[in-house]
Coordinates of all heavy atoms in Angstrom, one line a residue:
L97 N 14.4 -9.5 7.8 CA 14.7 -10.4 6.7 C 14.8 -11.8 7.1 O 15.3 -12.7 6.2 CB 16.2 -9.8 6.1 CG 16.1 -8.4 5.6 CD1 17.6 -8.2 5.1 CD2 15.2 -8.2 4.5
S98 N 14.3 -12.2 8.1 CA 14.4 -13.6 8.6 C 13.7 -14.5 7.6 O 14.2 -15.6 7.2 CB 13.9 -13.8 9.9 OG 12.5 -13.3 10.2
H99 N 12.6 -14.1 7.1 CA 11.8 -15.0 6.2 C 12.5 -15.1 4.9 O 12.6 -16.3 4.3 CB 10.4 -14.5 5.9 CG 9.5 -14.4 7.2 ND1 9.4 -15.5 8.0 CD2 8.9 -13.3 7.7 CE1 8.5 -15.0 9.0 NE2 8.4 -13.7 8.9
V100 N 13.1 -14.1 4.4 CA 13.8 -14.1 3.2 C 15.1 -15.0 3.4 O 15.3 -15.9 2.3 CB 14.4 -12.7 2.8 CG1 15.3 -12.8 1.5 CG2 13.2 -11.9 2.4
F101 N 15.8 -15.0 4.4 CA 17.0 -15.8 4.5 C 16.6 -17.3 4.7 O 17.3 -18.3 4.3 CB 17.8 -15.3 5.7 CG 18.4 -13.9 5.5 CD1 18.7 -13.1 6.5 CD2 18.6 -13.5 4.2 CE1 19.2 -11.9 6.2 CE2 19.2 -12.3 3.9 CZ 19.5 -11.4 5.0
D102 N 15.5 -17.6 5.5 CA 15.1 -18.9 5.6 C 14.7 -19.6 4.2 O 14.9 -20.7 3.9 CB 13.7 -18.9 6.5 CG 14.1 -18.7 8.1 OD1 15.2 -18.8 8.4 OD2 13.1 -18.5 8.8
V103 N 14.0 -18.7 3.4 CA 13.6 -19.3 2.0 C 14.9 -19.5 1.3 O 15.0 -20.6 0.5 CB 12.7 -18.3 1.4 CG1 12.6 -18.6 -0.2 CG2 11.3 -18.2 2.0
A104 N 15.9 -18.7 1.4 CA 17.2 -18.9 0.6 C 17.8 -20.2 1.1 O 18.2 -21.0 0.2 CB 18.2 -17.8 0.9
R105 N 17.7 -20.6 2.2 CA 18.2 -21.8 2.9 C 17.5 -23.1 2.2 O 18.1 -24.1 1.9 CB 18.3 -22.0 4.4 CG 19.2 -20.9 4.9 CD 19.3 -21.0 6.6 NE 20.0 -19.9 7.0 CZ 19.5 -18.8 7.6 NH1 18.3 -18.7 7.6 NH2 20.4 -17.8 8.1
D106 N 16.2 -22.9 2.2 CA 15.3 -23.9 1.6 C 15.5 -24.1 0.2 O 15.6 -25.2 -0.3 CB 13.9 -23.6 1.9 CG 13.4 -23.6 3.3 OD1 14.1 -24.3 4.1 OD2 12.4 -23.0 3.6
I107 N 15.6 -23.0 -0.6 CA 16.0 -23.1 -2.0 C 17.4 -23.8 -2.2 O 17.4 -24.7 -3.1 CB 16.1 -21.7 -2.6 CG1 14.7 -21.1 -2.6 CG2 16.7 -21.8 -4.0 CD1 14.7 -19.6 -3.0
S108 N 18.4 -23.6 -1.4 CA 19.7 -24.3 -1.6 C 19.6 -25.8 -1.5 O 20.4 -26.4 -2.2 CB 20.6 -23.7 -0.5 OG 20.3 -24.1 0.7
R109 N 18.6 -26.2 -0.7 CA 18.5 -27.7 -0.6 C 17.9 -28.4 -1.8 O 18.1 -29.6 -1.9 CB 17.8 -28.1 0.7 CG 18.5 -27.7 2.0 CD 17.9 -28.3 3.2 NE 16.7 -27.6 3.6 CZ 16.6 -26.5 4.5 NH1 17.7 -26.2 5.0 NH2 15.5 -26.0 4.7
H110 N 17.1 -27.6 -2.5 CA 16.3 -28.3 -3.5 C 16.6 -27.9 -5.0 O 16.0 -28.5 -5.9 CB 14.9 -28.2 -3.2 CG 14.4 -28.7 -1.9 ND1 14.4 -30.0 -1.5 CD2 14.1 -28.0 -0.7 CE1 14.1 -30.1 -0.1 NE2 13.9 -28.9 0.3
V111 N 17.3 -26.8 -5.1 CA 17.7 -26.3 -6.5 C 18.4 -27.3 -7.3 O 19.3 -28.0 -6.9 CB 18.2 -25.0 -6.4 CG1 19.8 -25.1 -5.9 CG2 18.2 -24.3 -7.7
Q112 N 18.0 -27.5 -8.6 CA 18.6 -28.4 -9.5 C 18.9 -27.7 -10.8 O 18.0 -27.0 -11.4 CB 17.8 -29.6 -9.7 CG 17.8 -30.6 -8.5 CD 17.0 -31.8 -8.7 OE1 16.7 -32.2 -9.9 NE2 16.6 -32.5 -7.7
G113 N 20.2 -27.9 -11.4 CA 20.4 -27.2 -12.7 C 20.5 -25.8 -12.5 O 20.3 -25.1 -11.4
F114 N 20.7 -25.1 -13.6 CA 20.9 -23.6 -13.6 C 19.5 -22.9 -13.2 O 18.6 -23.3 -13.9 CB 21.4 -23.0 -14.9 CG 21.5 -21.5 -14.9 CD1 22.2 -20.7 -14.1 CD2 20.6 -20.8 -15.7 CE1 22.2 -19.3 -14.0 CE2 20.7 -19.4 -15.8 CZ 21.4 -18.8 -14.8
T115 N 19.4 -22.1 -12.2 CA 18.3 -21.5 -11.8 C 18.5 -20.1 -11.3 O 19.5 -19.7 -10.7 CB 17.5 -22.3 -10.6 OG1 17.6 -23.7 -10.8 CG2 16.2 -21.8 -10.2
V116 N 17.6 -19.3 -11.8 CA 17.6 -17.8 -11.4 C 16.7 -17.7 -10.2 O 15.6 -18.2 -10.1 CB 17.1 -16.8 -12.5 CG1 16.9 -15.4 -12.0 CG2 18.0 -16.8 -13.7
V117 N 17.3 -17.0 -9.1 CA 16.6 -16.8 -7.8 C 16.4 -15.4 -7.8 O 17.3 -14.6 -7.7 CB 17.4 -17.3 -6.6 CG1 16.6 -17.0 -5.3 CG2 17.6 -18.8 -6.6
A118 N 15.1 -14.9 -8.0 CA 14.8 -13.5 -8.0 C 14.0 -13.1 -6.7 O 13.1 -13.6 -6.3 CB 13.9 -13.2 -9.2
T119 N 14.7 -12.0 -6.0 CA 14.0 -11.5 -4.9 C 13.1 -10.4 -5.3 O 13.4 -9.4 -5.8 CB 15.1 -10.8 -4.0 OG1 16.1 -11.9 -3.6 CG2 14.4 -10.3 -2.7
K120 N 11.7 -10.7 -5.1 CA 10.7 -9.7 -5.4 C 10.2 -8.9 -4.1 O 9.5 -7.9 -4.1 CB 9.5 -10.4 -6.2 CG 8.5 -9.4 -6.8 CD 7.7 -10.1 -7.7 CE 8.3 -10.1 -9.1 NZ 8.4 -8.7 -9.7
S121 N 10.5 -9.5 -2.9 CA 10.3 -8.9 -1.7 C 11.1 -7.6 -1.6 O 12.1 -7.6 -2.3 CB 10.7 -9.8 -0.4 OG 10.1 -11.1 -0.5
T122 N 10.6 -6.6 -0.8 CA 11.2 -5.4 -0.8 C 12.4 -5.6 0.3 O 12.0 -5.8 1.5 CB 10.3 -4.2 -0.3 OG1 9.3 -4.2 -1.4 CG2 11.1 -2.9 -0.2
V123 N 13.6 -5.5 0.0 CA 14.6 -5.7 0.8 C 15.7 -4.6 0.8 O 16.0 -3.8 -0.3 CB 15.4 -7.0 0.5 CG1 14.3 -8.2 0.7 CG2 15.9 -7.0 -0.9
P124 N 16.5 -4.3 1.9 CA 17.5 -3.3 1.9 C 18.6 -3.7 1.0 O 18.9 -4.8 0.5 CB 18.0 -3.3 3.4 CG 16.9 -3.9 4.1 CD 16.2 -5.0 3.2
V125 N 19.4 -2.6 0.6 CA 20.6 -2.8 -0.2 C 21.6 -3.8 0.5 O 21.8 -3.7 1.6 CB 21.4 -1.5 -0.4 CG1 22.7 -1.5 -1.1 CG2 20.4 -0.4 -1.0
G126 N 22.0 -4.8 -0.4 CA 22.9 -5.8 0.1 C 22.2 -7.1 0.3 O 23.0 -8.1 0.6
T127 N 20.9 -7.2 0.4 CA 20.2 -8.4 0.8 C 20.5 -9.5 -0.4 O 20.7 -10.6 0.2 CB 18.7 -8.1 0.8 OG1 18.5 -7.2 1.9 CG2 18.1 -9.4 1.3
G128 N 20.6 -9.1 -1.6 CA 20.9 -10.0 -2.7 C 22.2 -10.7 -2.4 O 22.4 -11.9 -2.7
D129 N 23.2 -9.9 -2.0 CA 24.6 -10.4 -1.7 C 24.4 -11.6 -0.6 O 25.1 -12.6 -0.8 CB 25.6 -9.4 -1.2 CG 25.6 -8.3 -2.4 OD1 25.2 -8.5 -3.6 OD2 26.3 -7.4 -2.0
E130 N 23.7 -11.2 0.4 CA 23.4 -12.3 1.4 C 22.7 -13.5 1.1 O 23.1 -14.6 1.5 CB 22.9 -11.6 2.6 CG 22.7 -12.4 3.8 CD 24.2 -12.6 4.6 OE1 25.1 -11.9 4.2 OE2 24.3 -13.7 5.3
V131 N 21.7 -13.2 0.3 CA 20.9 -14.5 -0.3 C 21.9 -15.3 -1.2 O 21.9 -16.5 -1.0 CB 19.7 -14.0 -1.1 CG1 19.1 -15.2 -2.0 CG2 18.7 -13.4 -0.2
D132 N 22.7 -14.8 -1.9 CA 23.6 -15.5 -2.8 C 24.6 -16.2 -1.9 O 24.9 -17.4 -2.1 CB 24.4 -14.5 -3.6 CG 25.1 -15.0 -4.8 OD1 25.3 -16.4 -4.8 OD2 25.4 -14.4 -5.8
Y133 N 25.0 -15.5 -0.9 CA 26.0 -16.1 0.0 C 25.5 -17.4 0.8 O 26.1 -18.5 0.9 CB 26.5 -15.2 1.1 CG 27.4 -15.7 2.1 CD1 28.8 -16.0 1.9 CD2 26.9 -16.1 3.4 CE1 29.6 -16.6 2.9 CE2 27.7 -16.6 4.4 CZ 29.1 -16.8 4.1 OH 29.8 -17.3 5.3
I134 N 24.2 -17.3 1.2 CA 23.5 -18.3 1.9 C 23.4 -19.5 1.0 O 23.7 -20.6 1.6 CB 22.2 -17.8 2.5 CG1 22.3 -16.7 3.6 CG2 21.3 -19.0 2.9 CD1 21.1 -16.2 4.1
I135 N 22.9 -19.4 -0.1 CA 22.6 -20.4 -1.0 C 24.0 -21.2 -1.4 O 24.0 -22.3 -1.3 CB 22.0 -19.9 -2.3 CG1 20.5 -19.5 -2.0 CG2 22.0 -21.2 -3.3 CD1 19.9 -18.9 -3.2
R136 N 25.0 -20.4 -1.6 CA 26.3 -21.1 -2.1 C 27.0 -21.8 -0.9 O 27.7 -22.7 -1.1 CB 27.2 -20.1 -2.7 CG 26.6 -19.6 -4.1 CD 27.5 -18.5 -4.7 NE 26.8 -17.9 -5.9 CZ 26.5 -18.4 -7.0 NH1 27.0 -19.7 -7.3 NH2 25.9 -17.8 -8.0
T137 N 26.8 -21.1 0.3 CA 27.5 -21.8 1.5 C 26.7 -23.0 1.9 O 27.4 -24.0 2.1 CB 27.4 -20.8 2.6 OG1 28.1 -19.6 2.3 CG2 28.1 -21.4 3.8
A138 N 25.4 -23.1 1.8 CA 24.6 -24.2 2.2 C 24.8 -25.3 1.1 O 24.7 -26.5 1.5 CB 23.2 -23.9 2.3
N139 N 25.0 -24.9 -0.1 CA 25.0 -26.0 -1.3 C 26.1 -25.4 -2.3 O 25.8 -24.7 -3.2 CB 23.6 -26.1 -2.0 CG 23.8 -27.1 -3.0 OD1 24.7 -27.8 -3.4 ND2 22.7 -27.3 -3.7
P140 N 27.4 -25.8 -2.0 CA 28.4 -25.1 -2.9 C 28.2 -25.6 -4.4 O 28.9 -25.0 -5.3 CB 29.7 -25.9 -2.5 CG 29.4 -26.1 -0.9 CD 28.0 -26.5 -1.0
N141 N 27.5 -26.7 -4.8 CA 27.2 -27.1 -6.0 C 26.0 -26.4 -6.7 O 25.8 -26.6 -7.9 CB 27.0 -28.6 -6.0 CG 28.1 -29.4 -5.6 OD1 29.3 -29.1 -5.9 ND2 28.0 -30.5 -4.8
A142 N 25.3 -25.6 -6.0 CA 24.2 -24.9 -6.6 C 24.7 -24.0 -7.7 O 25.5 -23.3 -7.5 CB 23.4 -24.1 -5.5
D143 N 24.0 -24.2 -8.8 CA 24.2 -23.3 -10.0 C 23.0 -22.3 -10.1 O 22.1 -22.4 -10.8 CB 24.2 -24.0 -11.2 CG 24.7 -23.3 -12.5 OD1 25.3 -22.1 -12.3 OD2 24.6 -23.8 -13.6
V144 N 23.2 -21.1 -9.5 CA 22.2 -20.2 -9.4 C 22.7 -18.8 -9.7 O 24.0 -18.4 -9.6 CB 21.5 -20.1 -7.9 CG1 21.0 -21.4 -7.5 CG2 22.6 -19.6 -6.9
A145 N 21.8 -17.9 -10.1 CA 22.1 -16.5 -10.5 C 21.1 -15.7 -9.5 O 19.8 -15.9 -9.8 CB 22.0 -16.1 -11.9
V146 N 21.4 -15.1 -8.5 CA 20.5 -14.3 -7.7 C 20.3 -12.8 -8.3 O 21.3 -12.2 -8.5 CB 21.1 -14.2 -6.3 CG1 20.1 -13.4 -5.4 CG2 21.2 -15.6 -5.7
V147 N 19.1 -12.5 -8.5 CA 18.8 -11.1 -9.0 C 17.8 -10.4 -8.1 O 17.1 -11.1 -7.3 CB 18.2 -11.2 -10.4 CG1 19.2 -12.0 -11.4 CG2 16.8 -11.9 -10.5
S148 N 17.8 -9.1 -8.2 CA 16.8 -8.3 -7.5 C 15.8 -7.9 -8.6 O 16.1 -7.4 -9.7 CB 17.4 -7.0 -6.9 OG 16.5 -6.1 -6.6
N149 N 14.4 -8.2 -8.3 CA 13.4 -7.8 -9.3 C 12.2 -7.2 -8.6 O 11.3 -7.9 -8.3 CB 13.0 -8.9 -10.0 CG 11.8 -8.8 -11.1 OD1 10.9 -9.7 -11.3 ND2 11.9 -7.6 -11.6
P150 N 12.4 -6.0 -7.9 CA 11.3 -5.4 -7.1 C 10.0 -5.3 -7.7 O 9.9 -5.0 -9.0 CB 12.0 -4.0 -6.6 CG 12.8 -3.7 -7.7 CD 13.4 -5.0 -8.2
E151 N 8.9 -5.3 -6.9 CA 7.6 -5.0 -7.5 C 7.2 -3.6 -7.3 O 7.7 -2.9 -6.3 CB 6.6 -6.0 -6.8 CG 6.6 -5.9 -5.3 CD 5.7 -4.8 -4.7 OE1 4.9 -4.3 -5.4 OE2 5.9 -4.5 -3.5
F152 N 6.3 -3.2 -8.2 CA 5.8 -1.7 -8.0 C 4.3 -1.7 -8.3 O 3.8 -1.1 -9.1 CB 6.5 -0.8 -9.1 CG 8.0 -0.7 -9.1 CD1 8.8 -1.5 -9.8 CD2 8.6 0.2 -8.1 CE1 10.2 -1.4 -9.7 CE2 10.0 0.2 -8.0 CZ 10.8 -0.6 -8.8
L153 N 3.7 -2.6 -7.4 CA 2.2 -2.7 -7.5 C 1.5 -1.8 -6.5 O 1.7 -1.8 -5.3 CB 1.9 -4.2 -7.2 CG 2.6 -5.2 -8.1 CD1 2.1 -6.7 -7.6 CD2 2.4 -5.0 -9.5
R154 N 0.5 -1.1 -7.1 CA -0.4 -0.4 -6.0 C -1.6 -1.3 -5.7 O -2.3 -1.8 -6.5 CB -1.0 0.9 -6.7 CG 0.1 1.9 -7.2 CD -0.5 2.9 -8.2 NE -1.1 2.3 -9.4 CZ -1.9 2.9 -10.3 NH1 -2.5 4.0 -9.8 NH2 -2.4 2.2 -11.3
E155 N -1.9 -1.4 -4.4 CA -3.0 -2.1 -4.0 C -4.3 -1.5 -4.6 O -4.4 -0.3 -4.5 CB -3.2 -2.2 -2.5 CG -1.9 -3.0 -2.0 CD -2.1 -3.3 -0.4 OE1 -3.2 -3.5 0.1 OE2 -1.2 -3.3 0.4
G156 N -5.2 -2.3 -5.1 CA -6.5 -1.8 -5.7 C -6.2 -1.7 -7.3 O -7.2 -1.6 -7.9

Side-chain angles (χ1 to χ4, degrees):
L97 300 176
S98 58
H99 299 303
V100 173
F101 295 153
D102 286 345
V103 167
R105 294 183 188 95
D106 290 339
I107 290 172
S108 70
R109 287 192 287 269
H110 303 293
V111 68
Q112 294 182 13
F114 175 64
T115 306
V116 172
V117 177
T119 304
K120 195 162 273 294
S121 303
T122 301
V123 295
V125 175
T127 302
D129 298 351
E130 187 66 18
V131 168
D132 199 339
Y133 174 80
I134 288 171
I135 294 174
R136 297 183 189 282
T137 301
N139 181 2
N141 296 320
D143 187 12
V144 298
V146 176
V147 305
S148 165
N149 178 218
E151 53 83 18
F152 300 97
L153 306 179
R154 295 169 300 160
E155 293 189 38

